[in-house]
Amino acid sequence: EAAAEDKTEAAAEDKTEAAAEDKAEAAAEDKEAGAEGVKVVKHMATRQPIWFVLEFFGDVRASQVAQLRQEVTAIVAHADASLGDGVVLVLNTGGGTVTGYGLAAAQLMRIKAAGLPLTICVEEVAASGGYMMACVADRLVASPFAVLGSIGVITDIPNVYDRLSREGVEFQTVTAGKFKRTLTPTKKVTPEDKAKTQEDIEAIFNLFRGFVKERRPTLDIDRVATGETWFGQDALERGLVDSLESSDDVLLGLRRGGAELYSVKYRNPKEGLLSGLLASTSPSVSSPLGSDGSDAPLGALGWLATRFLQTITGETANANGEAIAALKARPDLALRAQDLSAEAYRFEDERWLAERQRLGTGF
């Protein structure tokens, strides 16, 4: 019995010692984790604010929005507004399609929704759809001779109905829906069509006005929403911009204030070596049909493969052969629900589009 009691007491002491050791180890781990946490918090507290720099030099279709959305996503995922992070956008565009620039402005609103301050710098022009983007900014600056404004909507469609009639050509369009087609190049223009188109234009214009007014509430919208444009100083006097300075000075000011500047640009992921050789650019050779149905550039291997195919078949490659064969296989695709009106209406000021400036007179 005495031996059993000694054995029991020894086992209890072992358990007590083991529990004490476990407790000590846990306390040491907690202390170490706490120290690491303090280090992380201290590092985050001492980190300099980061300002991410974007560029948007837009065309008529605002095709650059595909790149912008990727860049904005990356910034929103990594920036921290509580640490003073922000975004600078260098903007230069004369506007374009309603849908394209509406989406571009929506991408900038994502930055605001994330709580990040947004500064937009207009270098040369932010007209029409470009100003729709610019007015989203918390701070809007422009160079002294930048052009701003052109708050308006335009649609212009050539009409060859009379000429076709003189040539004995009748173009027939079958629609379902009273206003499925109004003004088209081949349809006789009626007062009803023109009235409906004007109604559509006014509706888009009111949306544009409301969008600008909501984001710049101190702006006299009736005074500036006339389709006119103004140079820097006149735009400043009308409240279209907050200050006149270059993007370089804005970035230098942020740097002097202790911020770090990161330029953000999205590039497509690199492809493998073989696909790179097949798709490497060549100035004069195109593939029979690109992956999206359009011509795509070929490299040396692609050119050799195309020539080999032509040699063994005795046929010349047809750039649209696959598309034509597909259409013959599915003639029902010719009857489609298609509406191109989205591209007919534009937040565009053609006087300031970069592509047309080269053809105009200089300043």
Side-chain angles (χ1 to χ4, degrees):
E1 291 180 358
E5 290 177 358
D6 291 341
K7 186 175 182 180
T8 302
E9 291 177 358
E13 290 178 356
D14 290 340
K15 289 182 179 179
T16 302
E17 290 177 359
E21 289 177 358
D22 291 342
K23 186 175 181 180
E25 289 179 1
E29 290 177 356
D30 291 341
K31 184 177 181 180
E32 183 178 354
E36 291 296 328
V38 170
K39 290 180 182 178
V40 172
V41 172
K42 184 177 180 181
H43 170 72
M44 292 180 66
T46 58
R47 176 174 80 76
Q48 298 296 325
I50 298 174
W51 280 72
F52 301 91
V53 183
L54 302 174
E55 289 184 351
F56 189 94
F57 289 8
D59 57 21
V60 174
R61 293 178 179 268
S63 57
Q64 294 78 10
V65 74
Q67 176 175 327
L68 178 65
R69 73 194 314 168
Q70 299 289 348
E71 295 166 350
V72 170
T73 297
I75 292 173
V76 169
H78 294 89
D80 190 337
S82 66
L83 298 178
D85 295 348
V87 180
V88 173
L89 173 69
V90 181
L91 179 65
N92 190 36
T93 176
T97 62
V98 171
T99 51
Y101 278 90
L103 180 57
Q107 294 301 322
L108 300 183
M109 291 169 63
R110 293 176 58 203
I111 297 174
K112 302 283 293 294
L116 298 169
L118 173 63
T119 296
I120 295 182
C121 304
V122 180
E123 293 202 323
E124 295 183 24
V125 55
S128 210
Y131 192 76
M132 170 178 274
M133 294 180 66
C135 73
V136 177
D138 295 299
R139 180 187 175 208
L140 177 56
V141 305
S143 60
F145 283 93
V147 176
L148 296 100
S150 188
I151 302 173
V153 187
I154 182 176
T155 181
D156 50 357
I157 303 173
N159 188 275
V160 295
Y161 173 81
D162 290 337
R163 178 59 185 268
L164 291 177
S165 297
R166 289 197 298 269
E167 300 294 335
V169 178
E170 182 180 357
F171 196 97
Q172 295 185 351
T173 301
V174 180
T175 63
K178 183 178 181 180
F179 294 114
K180 182 63 176 177
R181 286 291 184 269
T182 52
L183 297 182
T184 72
T186 57
K187 180 176 178 289
K188 183 178 181 179
V189 178
T190 66
E192 185 181 34
D193 292 336
K194 293 182 68 174
K196 176 57 179 174
T197 302
Q198 185 64 43
E199 179 184 334
D200 294 340
I201 288 288
E202 293 292 342
I204 298 171
F205 178 56
N206 289 332
L207 289 174
F208 192 178
R209 281 168 46 103
F211 186 88
V212 174
K213 179 63 177 176
E214 182 179 353
R215 280 144 193 86
R216 295 188 70 86
T218 61
L219 194 63
D220 185 350
I221 195 66
D222 293 327
R223 184 185 180 195
V224 298
T226 61
E228 297 174 85
T229 58
W230 294 274
F231 287 101
Q233 185 60 46
D234 292 334
L236 179 62
E237 293 174 359
R238 287 165 173 77
L240 290 166
V241 64
D242 298 318
S243 62
L244 300 181
E245 55 184 310
S246 68
S247 59
D248 309 278
D249 289 333
V250 171
L251 296 177
L252 283 174
L254 289 170
R255 193 69 189 94
R256 291 192 185 106
E260 296 182 10
L261 303 179
Y262 288 176
S263 176
V264 181
K265 293 183 182 296
Y266 174 77
R267 293 186 178 89
N268 290 323
K270 293 182 179 179
E271 299 177 341
L273 176 61
L274 180 59
S275 59
L277 286 172
L278 288 172
S280 61
T281 58
S282 173
S284 59
V285 182
S286 294
S287 69
L289 192 68
S291 60
D292 60 350
S294 61
D295 286 348
L298 281 177
L301 294 180
W303 181 83
L304 287 173
T306 302
R307 293 296 296 164
F308 177 74
L309 179 63
Q310 293 175 0
T311 300
I312 63 175
T313 60
E315 298 180 0
T316 302
N318 185 342
N320 296 313
E322 295 183 25
I324 293 173
L327 183 59
K328 289 181 178 179
R330 291 289 307 277
D332 56 298
L333 295 180
L335 301 176
R336 59 197 183 280
Q338 182 183 24
D339 193 341
L340 303 179
S341 60
E343 295 185 0
Y345 305 108
R346 305 189 301 278
F347 296 140
E348 174 190 6
D349 195 317
E350 60 188 18
R351 293 168 292 180
W352 307 108
L353 289 178
E355 293 84 355
R356 303 183 188 182
Q357 281 182 334
R358 296 193 299 268
L359 305 177
T361 56
F363 175 73

